[in-house]
Amino acid sequence: MSAGNPELPEKMISDIEQTIVVTGGSRGIGRALCAAFSRPKTAVYFNYCCPDETGDQTASQIIAAGGIARGMQIDVASEAEVSRFFKTIVGETGKIDVLVNNAGITRDNLLIRMKSDDWRKVIDVNLGGVFHCTREAARTMIQKRAGSIINITSIAGVAGNAGQANYAAAKAGIIGFTKSMARELASRAVTVNAIAPGYIETDMTSHLADGVKSEIISQIPLGRAGSPTDVAGLAVFLASDAARYITGQVIHVNGGMYM
């Protein structure tokens, strides 16, 4: 399954100036990331994993901004599917300028009640997916001696959160991975940074009870929840020439919830 421009004519391919890859791009922060990076002569590739998703809304936003949209149903926990995804991207555009590792899931429960499958699935998608996608993108970026990798971690990966041992562990792992990759890829002019969102209004947080939401917001100095665009704006900056001397950093977007 795919969403976006059905094919890329040769002229369209030759006109592409930037290739952006966003994982988990069908909704929430991922959709905002795709929209924020969209502009003429830019190809935005994104994935979605659920069969009941289409990615059409994300694709429409990319196209409306003048960009080229390419969405594919890919499970980032699958090495084979990720390899196929990136081979398609490089085959069509010849390069990857920016990778944003955003795909993530939750399977919340207290540790003593957590099923082993729920532990493994969250680690495989949230951390394993970052590994698979970064490895594929880095191969191309090293050859071009240019590129930006941005990993979406979480406040939970720094401060922890009851009932989210699996999620917090994966997000903490992303921070260590980011710093290691920043050191490995710096000599090839590839920057690697992480963004740690706090409480952001997305589908993932929409299931929370109103009382719980109010309690969370009461702990935020700025007094409000964040929006996906708050995260997306920072990602665009980190991928820009203005941020070429920034690497190995974890930047928090949380309204002061964690300092």
Side-chain angles (χ1 to χ4, degrees), residues 21 82 86 90 95-101 130-144 146-149 185 190:
V21 183
V82 169
F86 280 85
V90 176
K95 62 176 182 173
I96 298 170
D97 296 289
V98 179
L99 166 65
V100 186
N101 284 307
V130 173
F131 162 68
H132 292 142
C133 294
T134 300
R135 184 174 59 178
E136 293 293 334
R139 288 168 175 157
T140 298
M141 291 179 176
I142 286 171
Q143 292 176 353
K144 300 291 184 181
S148 176
I149 298 171
L185 301 177
V190 177

Side-chain angles (χ1 to χ4, degrees), residues 111-240:
L111 181 65
I112 60 173
R113 298 174 182 168
M114 185 174 292
K115 297 178 181 178
S116 296
D117 284 347
D118 289 339
W119 169 270
R120 283 192 293 267
K121 185 63 175 177
V122 170
I123 298 297
D124 288 348
V125 172
N126 295 18
L127 184 55
V130 173
F131 162 68
H132 292 142
C133 294
T134 300
R135 184 174 59 178
E136 293 293 334
R139 288 168 175 157
T140 298
M141 291 179 176
I142 286 171
Q143 292 176 353
K144 300 291 184 181
R145 298 186 71 88
S148 176
I149 298 171
I150 301 161
N151 300 321
I152 306 301
T153 178
S154 169
I155 188 174
V158 182
N161 197 26
Q164 288 193 314
N166 48 3
Y167 184 79
K171 293 299 186 178
I174 289 174
I175 292 174
F177 181 85
T178 296
K179 293 178 181 293
S180 294
M181 288 304 96
R183 292 184 182 276
E184 284 191 23
L185 301 177
S187 65
R188 296 297 185 269
V190 177
T191 61
V192 188
N193 292 288
I195 298 175
Y199 178 55
I200 308 294
E201 290 183 328
T202 65
D203 291 346
M204 191 176 286
T205 59
S206 64
H207 69 281
L208 296 174
D210 290 341
V212 174
K213 293 179 182 179
S214 297
E215 175 61 25
I216 294 173
I217 291 174
S218 72
Q219 301 172 36
I220 302 173
L222 284 182
R224 66 172 178 87
S227 72
T229 56
D230 292 324
V231 178
L234 176 56
V236 171
F237 167 72
L238 288 174
S240 72

Side-chain angles (χ1 to χ4, degrees), residues 39-128:
R39 55 185 59 85
K41 297 187 177 182
T42 296
V44 181
Y45 289 77
F46 65 95
N47 87 295
Y48 50 94
C49 68
C50 300
D52 58 345
E53 292 184 277
T54 64
D56 288 345
Q57 287 185 291
T58 298
S60 295
Q61 290 188 13
I62 294 168
I63 294 169
I68 299 164
R70 299 286 274 164
M72 295 177 63
Q73 184 182 334
I74 295 294
D75 180 2
V76 296
S78 167
E79 181 177 359
E81 292 187 26
V82 169
S83 177
R84 176 165 56 88
F85 182 45
F86 280 85
K87 282 181 180 177
T88 298
I89 297 167
V90 176
E92 291 183 346
T93 72
K95 62 176 182 173
I96 298 170
D97 296 289
V98 179
L99 166 65
V100 186
N101 284 307
N102 168 73
I105 62 170
T106 56
R107 295 287 188 273
D108 297 351
N109 214 331
L110 296 175
L111 181 65
I112 60 173
R113 298 174 182 168
M114 185 174 292
K115 297 178 181 178
S116 296
D117 284 347
D118 289 339
W119 169 270
R120 283 192 293 267
K121 185 63 175 177
V122 170
I123 298 297
D124 288 348
V125 172
N126 295 18
L127 184 55

